[in-house]
Amino acid sequence: MRIILFFLITILSIVESVGQVRLTDEMKETEEQLRASTKQINQFFRRFNGEEDQNGKRYYATDKNYRTASLRRKYVPVLFDTQTSQIDPNVAEDFVRFITDKKSPKFLDFHKDDWFAEVSTTFTYKGKEIHGLLYMKLQQQGQGYEWIIEDVAFDQFQKWFDKDTTETKKFMHPMSHELDFMTLRKAFLENNHAEQFTARDYKPDFLTIFLYEMNQGNMKFVSVNNVRFHFFSIDGYYFSLYNFNRPGYNSGWLISGLVPLANEDQKQQMKDYIYDKN
């Protein structure tokens, strides 16, 4: 009986020991994954610039690894979403090679670069829930900086404007001035879209409309749904940044899109697309 009891205790001890080892290994891997994850935007900037390694170790100007091309070539590829994004591997390689060039390396500057946030939000408008985008940029304020709303995009606003740009559009007769512009009565009474009688290049200012509706109490903020960042900081390229909240090493704030830009026209076209100006 004592022999059987001894064997049972021995077996249970072995099982418990194996379980503890497995748990320790899982905890170690989880910890490594957490360190590898780019959890903050500031951290993304540091890793992109070669000021921090994948494990979160900070480098300063006095450190030998600070902003070295070898460090950046090793860790910048880790900053790409490799699970869901459709980034051309050749384009990614060219990009990494371009920004880590020893003679002319390219770095990100948090306060000076051409980058902005696209914030997906939910509001209520006159009691009805609507969704829209706020475009946020950094602005210098005194001795520091602040985030400001640069522009907005709401379907609720856009549907109010439906300007006809065809040759057969309604217009006010060029001799209307001889009639003291009495043609305005007909123009306004017979058309639901007064923008028909504005300049050819007229663009509605949705940010002003948004601020007016907010100040009138017609719109009320509900929540932020998600955030995406857009970078035009590296000449010849555009890339986007998105937070991938998932297990594994390829998580956190990662480059989700990368597009080469041949010239300023393509750069402006990309911005117009993001700001929903097309």
Side-chain angles (χ1 to χ4, degrees), residues 116 118 133-135 149-155 157-158 161 165 200-210 232 267-278:
F116 57 92
E118 175 190 323
L133 301 175
L134 305 186
Y135 299 95
I149 304 172
E150 183 189 31
D151 206 346
V152 301
F154 283 86
D155 289 340
F157 299 158
Q158 292 173 329
F161 298 86
T165 58
R200 187 178 294 107
D201 59 354
Y202 167 74
K203 301 290 184 183
D205 183 355
F206 293 130
L207 177 56
T208 298
I209 297 173
F210 167 75
F232 292 87
K267 180 178 179 180
Q268 188 58 52
Q269 289 173 13
M270 179 61 75
K271 283 190 174 184
D272 289 343
Y273 173 77
I274 296 169
Y275 279 88
D276 201 16
K277 301 294 186 183
N278 294 329

Side-chain angles (χ1 to χ4, degrees), residues 13 25 30 33 47 58 64 76 82 88 102 122 149 156-157 159 174 198 217 225 227 233 242 254 260 262 266 273:
S13 299
D25 289 342
T30 300
Q33 291 176 3
R47 291 183 171 183
R58 288 286 302 273
K64 65 177 183 179
V76 169
T82 58
D88 187 328
K102 288 186 177 181
T122 298
I149 304 172
Q156 180 70 32
F157 299 158
K159 70 181 183 181
T198 60
N225 305 319
V227 179
S233 311
Y242 190 76
L254 301 172
Q266 287 191 4
Y273 173 77

Side-chain angles (χ1 to χ4, degrees), residues 218-256:
N218 295 326
M219 287 188 70
K220 297 185 184 299
F221 174 77
V222 176
S223 66
V224 170
N225 305 319
N226 60 67
V227 179
R228 188 182 301 273
F229 293 90
H230 302 277
F231 287 79
F232 292 87
S233 311
I234 306 300
D235 288 341
Y237 287 94
Y238 154 78
F239 68 88
S240 59
L241 199 63
Y242 190 76
N243 189 15
F244 295 90
N245 185 13
R246 61 195 176 198
Y249 293 92
N250 190 232
S251 63
W253 289 103
L254 301 172
I255 296 175
S256 58

Side-chain angles (χ1 to χ4, degrees), residues 80-92:
F80 285 86
D81 168 34
T82 58
Q83 294 189 25
T84 59
S85 299
Q86 303 297 316
I87 298 176
D88 187 328
N90 295 322
V91 174

Side-chain angles (χ1 to χ4, degrees), residues 18-31:
V18 171
Q20 287 177 344
V21 171
R22 184 181 297 120
L23 180 60
T24 302
D25 289 342
E26 290 177 354
M27 291 173 64
K28 183 178 179 181
E29 183 175 0
T30 300
E31 183 180 358

